[in-house]
């Protein structure tokens, strides 16, 4: 069976468990996403190198956001990891994203920078509480336009904004979290969608965590693959 455009979100600080998840799924998936919990664990940085020979892309989801020079230096400091994808926050602004792109071009030509727009845990109500009267969809599109100006490789957004982002750029990779096989156990995700529908709308890659990693990943990946048919 060919690999599916899925990043498995390994949200754990247990390296043994992370290896179990990757070994159970790597022949079916495009890549593995490691977030802050894993990266900040005692052996996280070293452990990431151990997954580079698993025939999967490595996605480091750090969501960097700071002044341009700090982000530039942070990305340069990651050059030894040779990861394939890295996230920054689009809300850091044009100059910050340009600095991220500059660091990427100087240190890791294969690295693709993804700009995170609005977290899938947020809604219009949340944006209003933060002082913005702009809808999530409109704000995502604005951030995507800025990312395009910075020549960022791709966008992270919920499935509900895929079409808005695609209008900004036909070449963007669109990586979509908030993917659920069903509406059960959605936890802190609010803007969710099924994998099949998200791909139909134009997602290039899906990020799937709990539906694969909770319980038996070997069985769970089969359920996800069936949901794509």
């Amino acid at each position: 069976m060919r690999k599916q455009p899925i990043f498995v979100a390994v949200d754990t600080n247990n390296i043994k468990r992370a290896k179990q998840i990757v070994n159970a799924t790597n022949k079916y998936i495009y890549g593995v996403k490691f977030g802050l919990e894993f990266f900040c664990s005692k052996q996280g940085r070293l452990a990431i190198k151990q997954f580079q020979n698993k025939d999967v892309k490595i996605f480091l989801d750090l969501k960097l956001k700071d002044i341009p020079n700090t982000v530039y230096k942070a990305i340069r400091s990651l050059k030894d990891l040779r990861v394939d994808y890295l996230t920054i926050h689009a809300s850091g602004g044009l100059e910050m994203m340009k600095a991220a792109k500059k660091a990427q071009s100087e240190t890791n030509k294969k690295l693709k920078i993804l700009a995170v727009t609005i977290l899938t845990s947020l809604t219009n109500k949340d944006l209003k509480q933060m002082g913005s009267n702009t809808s999530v969809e409109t704000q995502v599109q604005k951030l995507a336009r800025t990312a395009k100006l910075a020549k960022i490789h791709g966008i992270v957004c919920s499935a509900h904004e895929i079409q808005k982002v695609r209008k900004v750029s036909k070449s963007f990779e669109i990586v979509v979290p908030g993917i659920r096989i069903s509406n059960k156990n959605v936890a802190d995700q609010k803007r969710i969608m099924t994998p099949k529908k998200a791909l139909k709308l134009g997602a290039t890659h899906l990020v799937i965590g709990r539906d694969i990693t909770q319980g038996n990943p070997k069985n769970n990946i089969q359920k996800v693959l069936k949901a794509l048919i």
Side-chain angles (χ1 to χ4, degrees), residues 95-222:
E95 294 306 315
M96 190 206 79
M97 286 192 278
K98 283 183 175 179
K101 187 68 175 61
K102 183 173 185 285
Q104 172 268 322
S105 66
E106 292 175 355
T107 58
N108 186 351
K109 298 291 186 183
K110 74 170 186 174
L111 173 65
K112 293 184 178 181
I113 303 288
L114 301 175
V116 176
T117 52
I118 303 295
L119 300 174
T120 53
S121 60
L122 300 176
T123 64
N124 289 334
K125 181 180 177 181
D126 296 309
L127 292 192
K128 192 170 184 178
Q129 287 176 335
M130 291 187 283
S132 173
N133 290 318
T134 306
S135 70
V136 169
E137 280 197 349
T138 300
Q139 186 64 12
V140 167
Q141 193 171 48
K142 286 181 178 179
L143 292 169
R145 289 193 189 109
T146 307
K148 182 180 179 181
L149 288 174
K151 298 182 179 179
I152 297 300
H153 300 97
I155 295 294
V156 178
C157 64
S158 91
H160 298 273
E161 299 92 46
I162 291 171
Q163 292 173 315
K164 289 281 189 181
V165 170
R166 188 54 75 206
K167 286 181 181 178
V168 174
S169 172
K170 295 189 183 302
S171 63
F172 271 149
E173 290 192 30
I174 302 179
V175 179
V176 178
I179 298 299
R180 293 287 185 274
I181 295 176
S182 73
N183 289 328
K184 297 178 180 179
N185 301 319
V186 297
D188 53 354
Q189 304 276 10
K190 294 176 182 175
R191 302 189 334 271
I192 64 171
M193 193 172 287
T194 63
K196 186 175 182 179
K197 189 173 181 182
L199 288 174
K200 188 175 181 180
L201 284 171
T204 56
H205 302 90
L206 308 176
V207 176
I208 305 178
R210 297 175 183 92
D211 279 347
I212 294 175
T213 61
Q214 285 189 348
N216 187 324
K218 189 173 182 179
N219 293 338
N220 291 341
I221 188 64
Q222 296 303 322

